[in-house]
Amino acid sequence: AQTVTQSQPEMSVQEAETVTLSCTYDTSESDYYLFWYKQPPSRQMILVIRQEAYKQQNATENRFSVNFQKAAKSFSLKISDSQLGDAAMYFCAYLMNRDDKIIFGKGTRLHILP
Amino acid sequence: DAGVTQSPTHLIKTRGQQVTLRCSPKSGHDTVSWYQQALGQGPQFIFQYYEEEERQRGNFPDRFSGHQFPNYSSELNVNALLLGDSALYLCASSRLPWLEETQYFGPGTRLLVL
């Protein structure tokens, strides 16, 4: 069965600094998708970034980028120039191709220090 | 363009009761997935509905059932509530084949079972 592990329950970063959130996953599949979702106190789950496993190039969305290491089954999220609005729970998630259910990690709570 | 909406926002029930949660998908979406998020955990997939039928189901008992209407909105029903059913219930909508589109989440319904 596929699993997603986030080993950092909480992290803190100074405003304007860079922070990296870690995620590892376990799968025997070769065709899948990985995501980072953000869940602020409002509870709404918001997609931050998405990576297709068949793509070598790491995905980037403005201040957010990933380091996707397929062989190591690692998928970390880097947030540059951290802002107060980045404070939230961040979930790493996996979806096997042609499947319907997203598998989430337990999350990392990110605090932004002013 | 309205996003995914859910009702009610909060709900308090007692053990043994039944509850119905509602979800309206994002405009243009035809697929609805339900997730249960216990406190401090990542969301867990309950089931997905497409064309008014359950496409896939996670590891949840038959007490959890659902329905999708012709307008693509969906209901989640939970019978014989247990204390352990207390959680945030998230609805996500997408368009099949959904990989052309991200799963968009609603704000959730917080259920408390006393």
Side-chain angles (χ1 to χ4, degrees), chain B residues 102-113:
Chain B
T102 301
Q103 281 195 17
Y104 288 88
F105 283 82
T109 294
R110 174 77 66 189
L111 172 65
L112 178 61
V113 182

Side-chain angles (χ1 to χ4, degrees), chain A residues 39 44 50 95 97 99-100, chain B residues 37 55-56 98-99 105:
Chain A
Q39 188 176 41
Q44 185 120 24
R50 152 185 168 145
L95 173 73
N97 192 19
D99 200 356
D100 301 318
Chain B
Q37 186 178 14
R55 270 177 53 89
Q56 190 175 3
W98 86 267
L99 292 173
F105 283 82

Side-chain angles (χ1 to χ4, degrees), chain A residues 33 35 37 39 42-47 50 89 91 95 97-107, chain B residues 9-10 35 37 40-43 45 48 55-56 88 90 98-99 101-103 105-110:
Chain A
Y33 299 77
F35 310 88
Y37 279 91
Q39 188 176 41
S42 66
R43 308 180 324 204
Q44 185 120 24
M45 196 77 75
I46 301 163
L47 180 71
R50 152 185 168 145
M89 280 291 287
F91 291 96
L95 173 73
N97 192 19
R98 295 186 303 279
D99 200 356
D100 301 318
K101 63 179 182 293
I102 299 176
I103 298 171
F104 288 86
K106 291 188 174 183
Chain B
T9 55
H10 294 83
Y35 292 81
Q37 186 178 14
Q41 302 292 318
F45 177 80
Q48 183 182 82
R55 270 177 53 89
Q56 190 175 3
L88 178 67
L90 296 168
W98 86 267
L99 292 173
E101 187 96 29
T102 301
Q103 281 195 17
F105 283 82
T109 294
R110 174 77 66 189

Side-chain angles (χ1 to χ4, degrees), chain B residues 37-97:
Chain B
Q37 186 178 14
L39 199 61
Q41 302 292 318
Q44 289 203 315
F45 177 80
I46 303 175
F47 42 54
Q48 183 182 82
Y49 276 84
Y50 172 67
E51 292 188 337
E52 302 179 48
E53 291 194 359
E54 185 181 292
R55 270 177 53 89
Q56 190 175 3
R57 188 179 185 92
N59 189 24
F60 280 81
D62 291 345
R63 298 187 298 108
F64 289 77
S65 63
H67 187 77
Q68 186 179 34
F69 299 93
N71 66 353
Y72 308 122
S73 67
S74 176
E75 288 182 349
L76 164 65
N77 300 292
V78 187
N79 294 322
L81 284 167
L82 304 174
L83 296 180
D85 295 331
S86 295
L88 178 67
Y89 288 85
L90 296 168
C91 166
S93 76
S94 55
R95 188 182 65 217
L96 279 183

Side-chain angles (χ1 to χ4, degrees), chain A residues 24-40:
Chain A
T24 58
Y25 59 95
D26 187 25
T27 183
S28 58
E29 302 291 328
S30 60
D31 193 5
Y32 52 88
Y33 299 77
L34 295 165
F35 310 88
W36 279 97
Y37 279 91
K38 169 186 177 181
Q39 188 176 41

Side-chain angles (χ1 to χ4, degrees), chain A:
Chain A
Q2 294 86 7
T3 58
V4 176
T5 303
Q6 294 178 250
S7 58
Q8 305 151 315
E10 283 194 72
M11 291 191 72
S12 296
V13 63
Q14 209 74 34
E15 194 176 2
E17 296 295 307
T18 295
V19 64
T20 298
L21 309 184
S22 301
C23 172
T24 58
Y25 59 95
D26 187 25
T27 183
S28 58
E29 302 291 328
S30 60
D31 193 5
Y32 52 88
Y33 299 77
L34 295 165
F35 310 88
W36 279 97
Y37 279 91
K38 169 186 177 181
Q39 188 176 41
S42 66
R43 308 180 324 204
Q44 185 120 24
M45 196 77 75
I46 301 163
L47 180 71
V48 175
I49 201 164
R50 152 185 168 145
Q51 174 80 43
E52 291 87 345
Y54 64 86
K55 288 188 177 178
Q56 300 278 357
Q57 189 172 6
N58 289 325
T60 299
E61 287 289 342
N62 301 313
R63 299 183 295 106
F64 299 87
S65 61
V66 298
N67 183 6
F68 173 47
Q69 301 290 328
K70 191 171 184 179
K73 295 180 184 175
S74 170
F75 183 62
S76 61
L77 174 69
K78 185 172 85 171
I79 306 174
S80 303
D81 185 25
S82 298
Q83 301 175 359
L84 294 178
D86 295 334
M89 280 291 287
Y90 285 81
F91 291 96
C92 179
Y94 163 98
L95 173 73
M96 185 175 69
N97 192 19
R98 295 186 303 279
D99 200 356
D100 301 318
K101 63 179 182 293
I102 299 176
I103 298 171
F104 288 86
K106 291 188 174 183
T108 296
R109 182 170 298 281
L110 179 65
H111 302 277
I112 310 295
L113 307 174

